[in-house]
Amino acid sequence: MMVCPSPRPLHADEPRATLTENTVSEDSPRFTPQVRMLQKAVPAVTSVFAFLGKDDSGRQQGRTGSASTIDAAGYALTASHVITGAAAGIVQDSEGRQFRYKPIAELEAYDLAIIRILAGKPLPTLPIGRSHDLMLGEPIVAIGNPHGVGLTVSEGILSGLNRYSFQNDVYTSGMVQTSAPLFQGNSGGPLVNAEGAQIGMALRLHSNSESLGLAMGADRIRELIPRVLAIEARDGITAGCDVDPLVDPPTLTSVDDSGPAADAKLQLGDQVVSVNGNETRHAYQWPLALVGRKAGETIQLDVVRGDQRMQVSLTLAEAVPVAGVDAEIADATEPGLTVTAYPLDPRRFNNTLEMAFRAPEPKSSVAMGLDVEAVKPRDEYFAIRFDGFLNVPTSGVYTFNLASDDGSRLMIGGRDRIVNDGDHPALEESCVIRLQAGLVPFRLDYFQGRGRRMLSLRWQYGDVAMSAIPDSVFFHRSGDQ
């Protein structure tokens, strides 16, 4: 925690220099391509000031960071560690204007949050680009609020791809590295390429270092936005379709057999180019367009199918939460989980979940919790399946964080919720689910190859902070082992 610097707006008669208004001729050699790019990018970036309350001496405590606006309605990306736990907060743009913001959603596991800037008018935006084709050495700029001094631009090159960031004993994948200086307060700010697209977002500093310049890559951000928003869980609605997060404009990749999208005659490959008259140029704008809506609400879509453009009315439906099992099944359970251990052949095992649970001669037992050390058949090359039920204490929205070294998979209600496959260091993934109170089917798969063993499952709901799931909520069918 730190003393939060107070953002100082400029007085009306105070001299100021802006990126959008100046007296320099456009023919001047000072108008480089980078200057022109920044004139478009910087207005979409804000300094974030999150207020945590006052200390005993009356000084305001808080955090500073940065955010980039990705939708004209005011939706912006920032780092979750900047805003989490804040009682209130504001953003300040490059012109000194201040606006309140509203937290929309965040996931601690990814240090990613989405806020809405309450400006009351459309805002400039900075589009999220792609990171699949990044080149070492290409020029980038970082825009942010280092140490709370206000929006600052630094330049550098892309100096590393496919990096990991290490915090709290787990790694974060999908990172890129830049030589541009990043400091405290840059968190949540964008890395922008020469084309003016956001190709990364600065995150928490790497342990014990301010010099590594790590940022989450654009493709990872695109993949995570729908997971962070978790429209079905948080808003309790469904459109009955999914879009490819890496393809612009929003392009349908699945349509439920019975659901709003099917009722509206939408098809695979349809492109949604506007919602209620607001243009949706980018895939991430589709879930943003659903934030805060209600079941039964009808939205108007402009859809492109092949060379045809059509208008479609889609009525949102209520998302069905994961329900508990019936009383007959619940009455036939007892504490603990059924645990099945599989020895793996290191000469043949290919480090995938698919192969891990094909091993012959598994051994079953009952365990009171998820303690791998208590049930592992040996130190290396084994797989474990925890099977049974999770006793959900209260109906509501639950966030699960699963960290493992190596592969793991979480199933709740008979569906995959997190798949963290492969041979990798300790990686944490997260999901958000709406659950009904009662016993819900639960399965956790884990395999260990060579090296460190690590499996951790935590949850957060209501007023309960993110914490390890207690052993007392696990049950299995009587006689299963």
Side-chain angles (χ1 to χ4, degrees):
M1 190 178 297
M2 60 176 287
V3 177
C4 190
S6 299
R8 184 182 69 85
L10 296 174
H11 297 296
D13 58 352
E14 185 174 353
R16 70 183 75 188
T18 74
L19 288 170
T20 55
E21 296 180 7
N22 56 68
T23 58
V24 179
S25 168
E26 290 197 8
D27 296 329
S28 169
R30 293 165 59 189
F31 266 107
T32 65
Q34 186 176 80
V35 168
R36 296 179 190 277
M37 179 272 288
L38 287 171
Q39 286 183 334
K40 296 180 180 180
V42 170
V45 185
T46 55
S47 301
V48 179
F49 299 88
F51 304 123
L52 303 176
K54 296 182 179 180
D55 63 14
D56 294 339
S57 65
R59 293 184 302 176
Q60 180 65 251
Q61 300 292 304
R63 306 187 193 96
T64 60
S66 312
S68 60
T69 305
I70 59 172
D71 185 89
Y75 294 107
L77 289 176
T78 189
S80 67
H81 77 265
V82 172
I83 67 164
T84 189
I90 62 171
V91 299
Q92 181 169 295
D93 67 13
S94 58
E95 302 290 333
R97 293 182 291 256
Q98 297 177 5
F99 307 102
R100 292 184 300 112
Y101 70 79
K102 175 184 177 181
I104 299 298
E106 62 178 299
L107 281 180
E108 168 204 47
Y110 309 120
D111 198 12
L112 185 62
I114 296 171
I115 62 175
R116 188 170 189 180
I117 299 171
L118 305 177
K121 61 180 180 180
L123 293 175
T125 62
L126 180 61
I128 304 173
R130 294 290 312 277
S131 54
H132 68 296
D133 60 353
L134 296 180
M135 300 177 291
L136 287 176
E138 69 171 286
I140 63 94
V141 296
I143 310 173
N145 177 31
H147 299 292
V149 301
L151 288 181
T152 302
V153 176
S154 59
E155 65 176 339
I157 62 169
L158 276 176
S159 52
L161 305 174
N162 303 316
R163 292 290 196 252
Y164 288 91
S165 175
F166 183 71
Q167 290 286 341
N168 301 323
D169 294 327
V170 296
Y171 290 83
T172 300
S173 62
M175 307 289 282
V176 297
Q177 185 178 1
T178 177
S179 64
L182 299 178
F183 301 99
Q184 184 177 349
N186 274 101
S187 293
L191 266 59
V192 185
N193 67 9
E195 296 175 342
Q198 180 172 186
I199 52 87
M201 186 186 79
L203 291 182
R204 190 189 303 269
L205 295 172
H206 195 277
S207 297
N208 303 318
S209 176
E210 290 195 0
S211 62
L212 290 182
L214 293 174
M216 182 182 292
D219 285 1
R220 181 67 166 158
I221 295 171
R222 281 172 167 262
E223 291 167 349
L224 289 178
I225 286 175
R227 197 180 304 182
V228 172
L229 290 172
I231 296 297
E232 291 192 10
R234 299 187 195 273
D235 292 277
I237 59 171
T238 180
C241 60
D242 291 309
V243 304
D244 187 332
L246 302 180
V247 175
D248 296 330
T251 302
L252 270 60
T253 55
S254 69
V255 176
D256 296 345
D257 292 336
S258 58
D263 292 344
K265 309 301 182 185
L266 291 175
Q267 300 177 8
L268 295 180
D270 283 351
Q271 297 178 335
V272 180
V273 295
S274 78
V275 177
N276 286 350
N278 299 311
E279 198 172 24
T280 51
R281 295 183 178 182
H282 307 285
Y284 52 82
Q285 291 179 287
W286 169 246
L288 289 173
L290 302 180
V291 171
R293 299 194 184 277
K294 305 296 183 183
E297 183 177 348
T298 298
I299 55 177
Q300 303 299 323
L301 311 180
D302 281 349
V303 175
V304 173
R305 180 181 299 162
D307 58 358
Q308 295 183 324
R309 185 178 179 123
M310 62 193 76
Q311 292 187 332
V312 174
S313 296
L314 185 149
T315 301
L316 300 169
E318 182 179 0
V320 179
V322 178
V325 298
D326 59 38
E328 182 178 355
I329 295 176
D331 290 342
T333 62
E334 56 188 59
L337 293 167
T338 301
V339 180
T340 309
Y342 300 75
L344 303 176
D345 184 346
R347 299 168 299 177
R348 299 178 181 177
F349 183 52
N350 66 355
N351 292 301
T352 65
L353 287 162
E354 180 180 10
M355 190 174 185
F357 297 94
R358 293 179 179 178
E361 301 180 1
K363 296 182 179 181
S364 296
S365 60
V366 172
M368 291 299 105
L370 304 175
D371 186 357
V372 171
E373 295 303 308
V375 297
K376 63 181 174 64
R378 55 193 185 192
D379 289 340
E380 294 182 333
Y381 290 102
F382 63 86
I384 294 176
R385 170 166 288 165
F386 298 93
D387 217 345
F389 302 94
L390 180 71
N391 188 17
V392 178
T394 182
S395 298
V397 177
Y398 286 71
T399 300
F400 291 86
N401 284 9
L402 174 62
S404 67
D405 177 350
D406 297 302
S408 60
R409 171 174 52 209
L410 174 65
M411 297 181 67
I412 295 178
R415 288 180 51 191
D416 287 350
R417 304 296 175 173
I418 298 175
V419 178
N420 194 3
D421 205 356
D423 175 19
H424 52 70
L427 294 178
E428 189 168 44
E429 297 287 348
S430 187
C431 69
V432 183
I433 317 172
R434 184 178 291 267
L435 301 174
Q436 287 185 349
L439 292 179
V440 299
F442 171 91
R443 174 179 289 177
L444 180 59
D445 292 338
Y446 168 71
F447 74 77
Q448 167 63 32
R450 182 181 297 277
R452 181 191 181 196
R453 294 183 299 276
M454 190 266 197
L455 180 67
S456 169
L457 182 63
R458 302 181 296 152
W459 68 358
Q460 182 274 325
Y461 63 93
D463 294 329
V464 176
M466 183 63 68
S467 55
I469 300 179
D471 295 348
S472 60
V473 303
F474 294 120
F475 291 82
H476 71 286
R477 288 178 182 268
S478 301
D480 282 359
Q481 67 177 57

